[in-house]
């Protein structure tokens, strides 16, 4: 059996995404997946469009394998997409966030469930364009099997407890900065 850690993501808003055609009131959504450590892919509903601000305020939960996070193999992939009438959806922007980096910030109590983080969004060509505002919350590591994307397993690993800060562990702090950004 594997060890898993629940990660709750709140996709709040995006701004300054100029290629989104606001003339025809497009359907803009965010597709979130994990590169390794989870079989899950989730999508937000359509955004409430403003002139330059898109709002979702949508929560999603992923169960990520703890072993893959420790080896820095799990990355959250955010793709902001605009639904087209014909053909496939247009990718407006992308964002890649290493789960190990977020866990490190969580363990140092730099982020809480009330902390929102703005990230720079990049285009398909790799150019910066706009930003997205996200919130993160970590649950306690547990041992078990995860079936489906909305599985709520109540078993908890004995070495930690769930608190206001998310994952509170009774062991030394996270690895050094070089390991996080490797």
């Amino acid at each position: 059996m594997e060890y898993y850690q629940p990660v709750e993501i709140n996709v709040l808003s995006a701004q300054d995404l100029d290629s989104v055609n606001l003339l025809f009131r497009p359907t803009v959504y965010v597709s979130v997946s994990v590169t390794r450590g989870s079989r899950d892919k989730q999508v937000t509903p359509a955004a409430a469009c403003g002139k330059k601000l898109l709002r979702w305020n949508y929560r999603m939960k992923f169960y990520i394998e703890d072993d893959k996070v420790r080896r820095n193999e799990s990355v959250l992939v955010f793709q902001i997409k605009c639904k087209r009438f014909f053909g496939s959806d247009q990718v407006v922007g992308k964002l890649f966030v290493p789960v190990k980096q977020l866990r490190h910030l969580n363990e140092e109590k730099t982020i809480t469930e009330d902390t929102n983080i703005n990230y720079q969004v990049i285009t398909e060509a790799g150019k910066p364009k706009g930003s997205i505002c996200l919130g993160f919350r970590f649950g306690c590591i547990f041992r078990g099997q995860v079936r489906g994307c909305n599985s709520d397993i109540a078993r908890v690993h004995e070495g930690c407890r769930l608190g206001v800060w998310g994952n509170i562990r009774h062991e030394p702090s996270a690895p050094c900065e070089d390991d996080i950004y490797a």
Side-chain angles (χ1 to χ4, degrees):
M1 280 208 237
E2 299 286 329
Y3 286 97
Y4 291 90
Q5 181 168 27
V7 179
E8 187 175 296
I9 301 166
N10 190 7
V11 180
L12 295 164
S13 63
Q15 58 187 4
D16 299 327
L17 299 174
D18 298 331
S19 73
V20 176
N21 185 356
L22 296 176
L23 181 64
F24 297 111
R25 291 284 184 192
T27 304
V28 181
Y29 64 95
V30 180
S31 171
V32 183
S33 60
V34 181
T35 55
R36 292 190 178 174
S38 176
R39 302 169 289 231
D40 208 1
K41 180 178 183 178
Q42 298 180 37
V43 177
T44 66
C49 294
K51 292 204 179 215
K52 289 214 171 214
L53 181 67
L54 303 167
R55 293 182 187 210
W56 293 279
N57 197 15
Y58 185 77
R59 292 184 187 269
M60 46 186 74
K61 194 173 203 176
F62 291 92
Y63 294 94
I64 302 173
E65 288 181 37
D66 184 53
D67 187 41
K68 304 248 179 10
V69 174
R70 289 176 191 259
R71 292 189 311 231
N72 203 19
E73 293 178 359
S74 291
V75 176
L76 292 166
V77 179
F78 296 85
Q79 290 185 324
I80 303 170
K81 295 183 177 182
C82 185
K83 200 173 250 330
R84 291 182 176 175
F85 291 112
F86 303 107
S88 63
D89 296 348
Q90 173 190 3
V91 177
V92 178
K94 289 183 179 181
L95 172 67
F96 303 94
V97 181
V99 179
K100 188 172 182 178
Q101 177 185 11
L102 290 173
R103 182 192 274 180
H104 177 71
L105 293 173
N106 184 60
E107 288 174 349
E108 288 191 346
K109 298 178 178 51
T110 304
I111 59 172
T112 66
E113 60 184 274
D114 297 323
T115 305
N116 297 328
I117 304 171
N118 283 316
Y119 286 99
Q120 179 76 52
V121 176
I122 59 171
T123 63
E124 288 283 316
K127 296 180 180 178
K129 176 208 266 178
S131 64
I132 187 168
C133 184
L134 304 169
F136 298 96
R137 181 177 178 202
F138 284 82
C140 193
I141 297 172
F142 64 90
R143 183 176 183 191
Q145 291 181 339
V146 176
R147 295 185 188 121
C149 61
N150 294 323
S151 177
D152 288 327
I153 297 175
R155 284 178 269 166
V156 176
H157 179 50
E158 296 173 12
C160 64
R161 67 185 192 283
L162 186 62
V164 176
W165 298 98
N167 184 23
I168 301 172
R169 306 184 78 181
H170 300 293
E171 58 187 50
S173 184
C176 67
E177 190 173 321
D178 293 335
D179 292 335
I180 294 171
Y181 296 105

